[in-house]
Amino acid sequence: MSDPTQRSTSHISSFAALGRLIRYARGYRRQIIAATTCSIINKLFDIAPEILIGVAIDVVVNQEDSFMASLGFETAREQITALAILTFFIWAGESLFEYLYQILWRNLAQRLQSDLRQDAYEHAQKLDMSFFETHSSGQLVATMNDDVNQLERFLDGGANAMIQVLVTVVAVGAVFFVLSPLIALLAFTPIPLIIWGAFYFQRKAGPLYADVREKVGDLSSRLSNNLGGIATIKSFTAEQREAERLKASSEAYVEANRKAIRISSAFIPVIRMAILAGFLATFTVGGMMALGGSLNVGAYGVLVFLTQRLLWPLTGLAEVIDLFERAMASTQRILNLLAEPVRVRDNGREVLPEPVRGDIEFEKVGFRYAASGAGISDISLRVPAGSTLALVGATGSGKSTLVKLLLRFYDPDRGEIRIDGKPIGSLSLRSLREAIGLVSQDVYLFEGTIRENLAYGNPQASDQEIVEAAKTAEAWSFIRELPDGLATPVGERGVRLSGGQRQRLSLARALLKNSPILVLDEATSAVDNETEAAIQRSLARIGHNRTVVMIAHRLSTIVDADQIAVIREGRVAEAGTHAELLQKDGLYAAQWAVQTGHALP
C-alpha cells in the first residue's frame, strides 16, 4: 500500500517542484549565483575555439585582408601567433572555470542534500505519533536517503548541463545573426521542435518517474520489514514466500523504470533527425553562399562548426531531462515530508518549577484517534505526588492513550492534563518529557553497548550510577555475567538479549534518567515470575519518592498501588484501592477472581 504523504506528483508540474526547491534553497543564493556564473563563463570559453578556427581559416585565405589584419596584426604570421596565444588563454580559462563550476556545484549538492536530509529528519521528529503509526518507516527512509541522493545527482551535473545548453543557444545564436541572419534562421529552425520535444517528453516522463519513486519506497519498506522480522519469517518457514513477495516488489520497480526508460530513450532518435535538418541547411546553403562570394570563407567555417556546437549538445537534453525528472519527483516527496503539519507543537514556554513534585491531574480528558475513532471520553483522575496509580482494563480500552496524552505524543480533544498544577500544553516539551521516565511494553534498544543504552537518558552518568540503576532494576545480575559486562553489544533492537533482559535494561534506563514521574506500560509483561517479583521489589523501593503510573494486565503486580482505575470503553468504570475494589465486587473483582483461579465455573 502506498504511503499517503508520498502521493503521486503526476498532477504537479516538475517546474513547480523546482520552484519549491529554489524557495527552500534561498539561503544558498550566493553559491548558486557563483556556480551559475562559472558555468556560463566556461561555456563561453568552450564556444570560442570554433570561432577562432573560422578566424584562422580567414587568415589563411585572405592574409593581409583578413579580420585579424583589421585589428592591427599586419602579417599572416603575426595573426597566427596572436591566435595561438589567444587560444592558449581561452583553453586555460575554460579549464579553470570548469574546475570552479565543478567544485561549486558538487559542494552545493553535498551541502544541500545534507541539509535537506537533516531538516527532513528533524521535522519528522516533531511529528505526532499518529504520523508514524500510519506511515511506513521504509518509505520515510527512502525519502530521506534515496530521494535526497537523486537530487544530489542532478545538482552534480544536470543543473550545469541545463545552464550550458541555454548559454550555447543564446551565444551561438548571437554569432549566427551577426554573420548571416539567413543561415541563423535555417540553423535555428529545428530548435522549436527540439524544445517542444523536450517538454513533451518531460510531461510524459514526469508521472512515470513519480511512480518510480513510489516503487523504490515500497521496495525499501519491504526490505526493512523483512529484515526486522527475520525471526518470524524463519519460525514460519516463510523464506520462499517472502522472497517471492520481495521479487514482486522488485519487479514492480523494474517495470516502473522500464516505462520511464522507454519514454526517455525515444527522445534522442527523434531529436537527432531535427538536428540533422538544421546542420544540412547550414552546410549546403552556407556553402553555396561562400562559393558565390556572398559569405566569407572563414565565416562559413565558423557557422559550420558552431552549428554542430549549437545543435549536438541538445541531444544531451534527454539525459538532463531524465536527471531532472527523477530529481523533481524525489524533491516533491522530500518537500511533501517537510510540509507535513506538526500537530503537537512545542509552543509552551514554561518549565516545571524545581523540585518537580509529580502531582498529576486528568480533568475531563477526551480524545479520539482520527483513523479508528477509538479513544477515551471524559476521564478525570488525580495522582498525588509520590503515589502510585494503576490502570487496568481490556486491550483497547484506552489505558495507553492516557500515557500518550500525558507525554504529549498527542494533544487531547477536550479537557486538560496538569502536572504540579501547570497545564502540560503550557510547558515546553523538553521540560515535560524530562520529568517523565517511560518503560514501555515494546522495549526499544539502540544498536550499541549496554552502557550506551542505559545512559541514553543521562549521557553524563558515571559507571557507578549506571551500576546502581542496573542493580535497582534487577539487571546487574545478568550484566556482570556477560563476557564484556557493560561493554557488551546488544545488537540491532537488542536482538542479542532475551525479552526479560531487555525489559530490565529499559527499567534501569528510566531509573537512571531520575525523573520524578515514572510510567510503566506493562513493564513486567515480558519477564518470568521470578524476575517480575524482583522488579516489584525494586518498584517498591523507588516508588517512595516518585509518582508512578502503571499499566498492567497482571493484577498481582498492582495490589499495593495507592489507586487503581479500571478503564472500560474509554471511561473510568471504577476506581479505588485493591481492597476497596474487591469489596465492590465489580469488574476488578471479577478479573481478580479469574486470574487467581477463584472464578465461578
Side-chain angles (χ1 to χ4, degrees):
M1 185 172 66
S2 64
D3 194 325
T5 62
Q6 316 302 338
R7 54 190 177 274
S8 171
T9 58
S10 60
H11 63 291
I12 302 176
S13 167
S14 295
F15 293 104
L18 179 61
R20 292 177 68 188
L21 178 62
I22 290 172
R23 288 192 295 275
Y24 172 83
R26 58 184 177 272
Y28 304 89
R29 189 174 300 160
R30 289 185 178 180
Q31 295 97 312
I32 293 172
I33 291 173
T36 301
T37 301
C38 289
S39 293
I40 291 172
I41 295 174
N42 168 261
K43 180 48 64 175
L44 293 177
F45 276 129
D46 184 46
I47 293 169
E50 275 73 13
I51 299 175
L52 293 181
I53 291 172
V55 175
I57 293 173
D58 180 51
V59 169
V60 172
V61 173
N62 296 313
Q63 299 189 19
E64 285 77 9
D65 295 326
S66 69
F67 170 74
M68 289 294 291
S70 67
L71 298 179
F73 299 97
E74 296 180 357
T75 67
R77 292 182 180 275
E78 290 177 352
Q79 295 170 22
I80 292 295
T81 301
L83 285 175
I85 294 171
L86 184 58
T87 299
F88 171 80
F89 282 106
I90 286 175
W91 279 66
E94 179 189 356
S95 299
L96 172 63
F97 282 98
E98 181 173 357
Y99 168 78
L100 291 176
Y101 84 63
Q102 289 205 29
I103 289 290
L104 289 168
W105 279 118
R106 289 181 178 181
N107 284 338
L108 175 64
Q110 292 298 316
R111 185 73 269 150
L112 186 58
Q113 64 95 11
S114 176
D115 288 353
L116 257 177
R117 183 180 291 112
Q118 188 69 26
D119 288 349
Y121 173 74
E122 290 182 6
H123 182 76
Q125 287 192 129
K126 297 175 184 176
L127 299 176
D128 63 281
M129 292 304 295
S130 65
F131 177 85
F132 297 97
E133 290 167 358
T134 56
H135 294 75
S136 160
S137 60
Q139 285 278 4
L140 293 175
V141 170
T143 297
M144 295 182 199
N145 190 34
D146 195 64
D147 283 328
V148 171
N149 290 340
Q150 287 288 346
L151 178 59
E152 178 195 356
R153 292 185 194 106
F154 171 69
L155 291 175
D156 267 346
N160 171 73
M162 291 181 73
I163 292 168
Q164 292 202 332
V165 165
L166 178 62
V167 172
T168 299
V169 171
V170 173
V172 172
V175 174
F176 265 59
F177 278 99
V178 168
L179 295 178
S180 173
L182 175 61
I183 300 295
L185 289 174
L186 293 173
F188 273 72
T189 297
I191 289 182
L193 177 61
I194 294 170
I195 293 174
W196 173 85
F199 280 100
Y200 172 80
F201 284 103
Q202 179 265 323
R203 286 195 302 272
K204 290 289 187 181
L208 298 178
Y209 280 121
D211 188 47
V212 169
R213 304 316 314 149
E214 290 287 341
K215 293 299 187 292
V216 76
D218 292 341
L219 184 57
S220 295
S221 182
R222 173 69 62 194
L223 283 167
S224 176
N225 286 337
N226 284 14
L227 293 175
I230 192 67
T232 303
I233 292 172
K234 286 179 176 293
S235 69
F236 283 92
T237 60
E239 292 93 338
Q240 185 60 36
R241 188 194 324 157
E242 291 302 331
E244 290 173 357
R245 293 172 69 180
L246 179 63
K247 183 178 180 181
S249 295
S250 184
E251 288 299 323
Y253 173 54
V254 170
E255 177 63 17
N257 256 314
R258 187 185 64 79
K259 292 178 181 178
I261 291 169
R262 184 176 60 202
I263 291 294
S264 62
S265 298
F267 180 74
I268 289 180
V270 172
I271 300 308
R272 189 184 297 272
M273 298 312 296
I275 290 171
L276 177 62
F279 180 75
L280 287 177
T282 303
F283 186 78
T284 55
V285 175
M288 295 299 179
M289 291 174 66
L291 289 172
S294 60
L295 182 65
N296 182 284
V297 174
Y300 173 62
V302 170
L303 292 175
V304 171
F305 284 119
L306 284 183
T307 300
Q308 272 195 312
R309 182 51 61 102
L310 169 69
L311 297 178
W312 281 112
L314 294 177
T315 60
L317 279 177
E319 184 178 351
V320 173
I321 288 174
D322 187 77
L323 282 172
F324 178 74
E325 286 302 333
R326 289 178 182 270
M328 291 306 103
S330 294
T331 297
Q332 201 69 262
R333 285 160 54 94
I334 301 164
L335 297 179
N336 282 347
L337 175 58
L338 283 169
E340 190 69 28
V342 177
R343 305 186 192 282
V344 178
R345 295 194 170 274
D346 191 9
N347 293 328
R349 294 292 178 266
E350 296 187 53
V351 297
L352 286 168
E354 296 291 342
V356 179
R357 294 182 294 111
D359 185 275
I360 304 172
E361 188 173 2
F362 295 87
E363 183 179 354
K364 296 182 178 180
V365 175
F367 173 79
R368 294 288 165 187
Y369 295 99
S372 64
I376 58 175
S377 301
D378 199 31
I379 285 187
S380 294
L381 288 169
R382 170 80 189 283
V383 191
S387 67
T388 298
L389 167 69
L391 301 172
V392 300
T395 301
S397 60
K399 306 182 300 299
S400 293
T401 299
L402 282 171
V403 170
K404 292 175 181 177
L405 293 173
L406 177 63
L407 283 157
R408 280 200 74 198
F409 291 164
Y410 300 92
D411 280 330
D413 299 329
R414 296 171 302 282
E416 191 172 71
I417 304 172
R418 293 184 288 273
I419 295 180
D420 290 351
K422 288 187 174 293
I424 63 173
S426 69
L427 302 172
S428 71
L429 288 176
R430 185 178 187 86
S431 176
L432 169 67
R433 292 172 182 169
E434 281 184 345
I436 303 172
L438 173 65
V439 182
S440 176
Q441 178 185 12
D442 182 19
V443 177
Y444 190 96
L445 297 180
F446 295 91
E447 189 166 10
T449 66
I450 290 177
R451 178 186 288 105
E452 290 166 343
N453 274 278
L454 291 182
Y456 190 74
N458 185 5
Q460 276 69 49
S462 65
D463 275 5
Q464 182 179 352
E465 291 172 318
I466 292 173
V467 170
E468 286 302 317
K471 287 180 178 178
T472 303
E474 304 283 347
W476 183 243
S477 58
F478 81 82
I479 294 175
R480 67 184 177 186
E481 293 176 0
L482 296 171
D484 297 318
L486 289 172
T488 302
V490 301
E492 188 176 12
R493 297 181 65 91
V495 70
R496 296 184 182 181
L497 304 176
S498 70
Q501 289 172 335
R502 291 196 295 269
Q503 196 75 63
R504 281 179 278 175
L505 290 183
S506 178
L507 178 59
R509 179 170 60 187
L511 295 179
L512 193 60
K513 185 180 176 184
N514 198 28
S515 301
I517 299 171
L518 184 62
V519 175
L520 307 172
D521 188 353
E522 299 192 51
T524 60
S525 62
V527 299
D528 55 36
N529 291 333
E530 182 180 348
T531 304
E532 179 188 344
I535 291 177
Q536 288 305 308
R537 291 194 300 270
S538 65
L539 290 177
R541 293 195 299 271
I542 66 175
H544 291 301
N545 57 355
R546 284 184 175 86
T547 302
V548 180
V549 178
M550 302 175 62
I551 296 175
H553 281 301
R554 297 181 188 177
L555 301 187
S556 59
T557 64
I558 60 168
V559 293
D560 294 324
D562 298 295
Q563 181 183 185
I564 300 171
V566 181
I567 310 298
R568 183 181 185 185
E569 296 179 354
R571 297 178 181 272
V572 177
E574 53 188 32
T577 65
H578 172 71
E580 289 170 348
L581 291 174
L582 287 181
Q583 286 182 351
K584 288 182 180 180
D585 198 24
L587 295 172
Y588 181 84
Q591 189 174 349
W592 174 262
V594 170
Q595 290 192 13
T596 57
H598 297 139
L600 294 174

